[in-house]
């Protein structure tokens, strides 16, 4: 038996702590499948210099492939309700990008938890962190960065609150709201645009593809924030300007077609 004034629970999305606490039922769990594959040197070298993320290959989800030291990691994650097998998606994806003759394969399944609410993240003296808290990015589903940050915030709250449970919980919830869930709210809005409105996603990728890639790289490396994108008025002005230019070009093309007819 172990006794403690405060406990930090980092036992994952399916751990016992979240069940004991009866965590927020709004927590969304994203199914993901990852294959670690070994291929010929020629195929490995073809994909060894970059990470590839393909949006639009499936509805409300994406597939990826990126290199590791001696093999390739290929995966798929689906946000919406799925009526297909993720393994079938990966098989089709590998075929379309030209990966055949796999020498070895290891298959792993994951559940990625998503939450944008801080309700019921603590219970008396228990603090949830990481996947137990549900702090994965709702666009790329990367959870390590926020998991580490939530662990640090929990530790800081315990130290600052001097092991007084009420003070610890108050500090932890305040810091989570400011440093994690504020960003997740903005990220959640981005994910709606990316996954539910493919026409908007296509327009944004076409016009701002390179900038968006650099921005997402900054998010993952903690050098950028979603809030900085949404709180910058220029972001909206650029998008509106591009939208009206697109409409204008469409109308001009339509007039040209009508005149030819």
């Amino acid at each position: 038996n172990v006794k403690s004034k405060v406990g930090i629970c980092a036992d994952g999305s399916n751990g016992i702590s979240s069940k004991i606490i009866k965590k927020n039922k709004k927590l969304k769990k994203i199914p993901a499948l990852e294959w670690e594959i070994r291929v010929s040197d020629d195929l490995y070298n073809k994909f060894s210099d970059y990470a590839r993320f393909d949006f639009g290959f499936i509805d409300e989800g994406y597939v990826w492939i990126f290199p590791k030291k001696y093999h390739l990691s290929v995966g798929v994650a689906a946000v919406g309700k799925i009526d297909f097998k993720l393994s079938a998606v990966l098989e089709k994806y590998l075929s379309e990008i030209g990966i055949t003759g796999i020498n070895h394969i290891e298959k792993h399944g994951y559940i990625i938890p998503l939450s944008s609410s801080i309700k019921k993240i603590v219970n008396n003296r228990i603090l949830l962190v990481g996947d137990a808290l549900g702090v994965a990015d709702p666009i790329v589903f990367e959870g390590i960065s926020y998991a580490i940050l939530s662990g640090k915030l929990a530790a800081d709250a315990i130290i600052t609150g001097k092991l007084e449970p009420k003070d610890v919980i108050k500090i932890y919830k305040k810091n989570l709201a400011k440093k994690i869930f504020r960003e997740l709210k903005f990220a959640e809005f981005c994910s709606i645009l990316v996954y539910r409105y493919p026409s908007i996603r296509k327009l944004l990728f076409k016009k701002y593809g390179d900038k968006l890639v650099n921005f997402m790289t900054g998010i993952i490396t903690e050098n950028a924030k979603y809030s900085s994108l949404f709180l910058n008025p220029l972001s909206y002005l650029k998008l509106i300007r591009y939208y009206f230019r697109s409409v204008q070009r469409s109308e001009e093309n339509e007039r040209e077609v009508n005149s030819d007819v």
Side-chain angles (χ1 to χ4, degrees):
N1 294 327
V2 178
K3 292 183 179 181
S4 175
K5 287 187 175 181
V6 180
I8 299 177
C9 293
D11 54 348
S13 59
N14 295 318
I16 192 173
S17 62
S18 61
K19 296 175 184 177
I20 293 174
I21 293 176
K22 296 179 181 178
K23 200 173 64 159
N24 188 354
K25 291 183 179 180
K26 291 183 179 180
L27 183 70
K28 189 174 184 179
K29 295 185 177 181
I30 305 301
L33 184 64
E34 184 178 41
W35 290 356
E36 309 285 356
I37 61 174
R38 292 184 181 272
V39 295
S40 66
D41 291 342
D42 289 340
L43 270 178
Y44 175 81
N45 292 332
K46 182 180 178 181
F47 296 93
S48 62
D49 292 332
Y50 57 88
R52 174 172 173 165
F53 299 84
D54 285 319
F55 292 85
F57 191 81
I58 61 171
D59 293 334
E60 295 191 48
Y62 76 96
V63 288
W64 72 83
I65 177 169
F66 56 84
K68 293 189 176 179
K69 191 171 184 179
Y70 299 112
H71 66 279
L72 300 174
S73 173
V74 186
V76 56
V79 180
K81 228 175 183 182
I82 60 174
D83 55 0
F84 51 82
K85 290 185 177 180
L86 295 181
S87 57
V89 173
L90 282 189
E91 288 174 359
K92 183 180 179 182
Y93 181 61
L94 289 173
S95 175
E96 291 200 9
I97 62 177
I99 293 183
T100 58
I102 297 173
N103 300 325
H104 180 73
I105 182 169
E106 291 183 14
K107 300 180 180 182
H108 307 282
Y110 304 99
I111 294 294
I112 303 170
L114 301 180
S115 175
S116 58
S117 172
I118 58 173
K119 293 180 180 178
K120 296 185 179 179
I121 58 171
V122 293
N123 182 25
N124 297 327
R125 298 174 292 127
I126 300 175
L127 284 68
L128 299 178
V129 300
D131 279 352
L133 181 60
V135 286
D137 185 292
I139 297 181
V140 295
F141 314 130
E142 188 271 332
I144 296 176
S145 300
Y146 283 132
I148 294 173
L149 178 56
S150 64
K152 289 181 177 179
L153 294 179
D156 289 342
I158 290 173
I159 294 170
T160 306
K162 298 179 180 179
L163 284 174
E164 291 298 326
K166 288 185 179 180
D167 294 335
V168 169
I169 290 173
K170 183 178 179 180
I171 294 168
Y172 186 49
K173 293 180 77 170
K174 181 180 178 181
N175 289 337
L176 279 178
K178 180 180 179 181
K179 297 185 178 181
I180 293 183
F181 283 98
R182 180 174 182 267
E183 292 301 312
L184 289 180
K185 282 289 186 182
F186 288 110
E188 187 178 29
F189 179 75
C190 286
S191 70
I192 292 173
L193 295 179
V194 170
Y195 293 116
R196 295 186 187 176
Y197 299 95
S199 58
I200 295 178
R201 180 186 66 218
K202 186 176 180 180
L203 183 148
L204 291 174
F205 280 20
K206 181 180 179 180
K207 178 63 178 178
Y208 302 108
D210 290 341
K211 292 181 179 180
L212 288 173
V213 169
N214 291 333
F215 178 74
M216 290 307 302
T217 302
I219 291 290
I220 295 173
T221 57
E222 299 181 32
N223 292 316
K225 292 184 177 181
Y226 287 107
S227 56
S228 64
L229 180 66
F230 282 91
L231 298 179
N232 183 358
L234 291 177
S235 299
Y236 300 97
L237 292 175
K238 289 178 181 178
L239 185 59
I240 293 170
R241 184 178 62 179
Y242 180 67
Y243 172 76
F244 282 109
R245 282 183 177 178
S246 299
V247 172
Q248 185 180 12
R249 282 196 296 268
S250 297
E251 292 175 348
E252 290 174 353
N253 291 336
E254 187 176 349
R255 284 196 295 268
E256 289 178 4
V257 171
N258 291 333
S259 63
D260 290 340
V261 172

